[in-house]
């Protein structure tokens, strides 16, 4: 049974790196600078890179004895929602990428698991899984519009920024406190 299924990668896909121009001689180097459209669901539930947004790839591909080492950065815009007040967050991120992709049927290919070392598919490298991992690691699981965001008043849902400092929902006049207790007993 063949170990590898035939490549299903599209060499024209912006997140697929084609290494045909890179000699398989250790030390050979090629740079890849391009803008790629972000794939869907790149990020976490509350924050991520919008689908179709411009991702700036600034990568170098280096031949090593058993494969190709891809390193560099990917940058792009980030959109999300504050976990405390739900205000929109607009930010950007730059994630470092460093991933080794083993040649098919190399010793590394034969002796490691696919989650340890990436795999080349013929001359092609699918950057998307490594990019996803890097983006998810970089993004905050609980994004905030600012580090000291006070959030919303749990009673009325108004942002604490927009409420007076003494805002409270327990504003019973002491003179009426006794009366409200009476009413409660009657209930
Ligand atoms: Zn907030
Ligand atoms: Zn309130």
């Amino acid at each position: 049974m063949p170990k590898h299924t035939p490549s299903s990668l599209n060499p024209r896909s912006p997140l697929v790196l084609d290494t045909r121009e890179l000699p398989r001689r250790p030390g050979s180097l090629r740079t890849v600078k391009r803008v790629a459209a972000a794939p869907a669901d790149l990020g976490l539930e509350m924050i991520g890179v919008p689908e179709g947004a411009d991702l700036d790839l600034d990568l170098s591909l280096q031949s090593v004895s058993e494969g190709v080492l891809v390193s560099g950065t990917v940058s792009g815009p980030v959109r999300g929602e504050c976990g405390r007040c739900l205000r929109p967050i607009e930010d950007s991120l730059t994630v470092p990428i460093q991933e080794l992709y083993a040649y098919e049927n190399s010793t590394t290919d034969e002796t490691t698991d696919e989650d340890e070392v990436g795999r080349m598919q013929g001359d092609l490298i699918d950057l998307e899984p490594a990019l996803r991992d890097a983006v998810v690691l970089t993004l905050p699981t609980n994004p905030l519009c600012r580090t000291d965001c006070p959030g919303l008043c749990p009673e009325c849902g108004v942002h604490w920024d927009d409420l007076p400092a003494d805002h409270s929902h327990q504003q019973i006049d002491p003179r009426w406190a006794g009366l409200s207790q009476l009413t409660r007993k009657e209930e």
Side-chain angles (χ1 to χ4, degrees):
M1 212 174 78
K3 190 169 180 213
H4 294 279
T5 48
S7 173
S8 55
L9 294 178
N10 175 1
R12 269 169 303 196
S13 164
L15 290 175
V16 169
L17 307 174
D18 191 339
T19 67
R20 269 175 302 184
E21 302 281 298
L22 179 71
R24 288 195 173 194
R25 179 167 22 89
S28 302
L29 203 65
R30 288 287 180 277
T31 55
V32 172
K33 281 182 200 278
R34 69 164 78 134
V35 177
D41 303 318
L42 184 59
L44 303 165
E45 202 179 324
M46 297 283 287
I47 192 161
V49 180
E51 184 176 358
D54 284 353
L55 289 174
D56 282 311
L57 277 57
D58 190 351
L59 303 170
S60 79
L61 277 53
Q62 188 186 353
S63 285
V64 293
S65 55
E66 298 270 313
V68 173
L69 179 67
V70 176
S71 55
T73 57
V74 177
S75 320
V78 167
R79 298 285 178 272
E81 240 175 33
C82 175
R84 287 190 196 147
C85 73
L86 306 179
R87 280 179 179 171
I89 296 174
E90 293 198 8
D91 205 347
S92 61
L93 57 67
T94 297
V95 293
I97 301 274
Q98 174 129 29
E99 188 86 4
L100 175 67
Y101 295 88
Y103 294 133
E104 283 174 348
N105 307 315
S106 62
T107 313
T108 306
D109 182 13
E110 308 289 347
T111 58
T112 60
D113 287 332
E114 289 204 33
D115 53 358
E116 289 174 67
V117 177
R119 292 293 188 273
M120 311 233 346
Q121 296 187 30
D123 290 315
L124 303 178
I125 288 171
D126 182 11
L127 189 67
E128 194 173 321
L131 175 65
R132 283 188 182 281
D133 288 352
V135 166
V136 165
L137 277 175
T138 303
L139 290 173
T141 45
N142 187 16
L144 298 175
C145 60
R146 58 174 209 262
T147 48
D148 63 345
C149 171
L152 308 175
C153 167
E155 292 285 323
C156 62
V158 174
H159 201 287
W160 284 111
D161 281 356
D162 303 327
L163 292 168
D166 61 351
H167 174 74
S168 160
H169 291 271
Q170 277 135 14
Q171 287 167 330
I172 300 164
D173 187 312
R175 283 169 296 173
W176 299 105
L179 188 62
S180 88
Q181 220 135 36
L182 265 178
T183 339
R184 216 168 289 153
K185 263 181 212 148
E186 275 166 21
E187 279 168 1

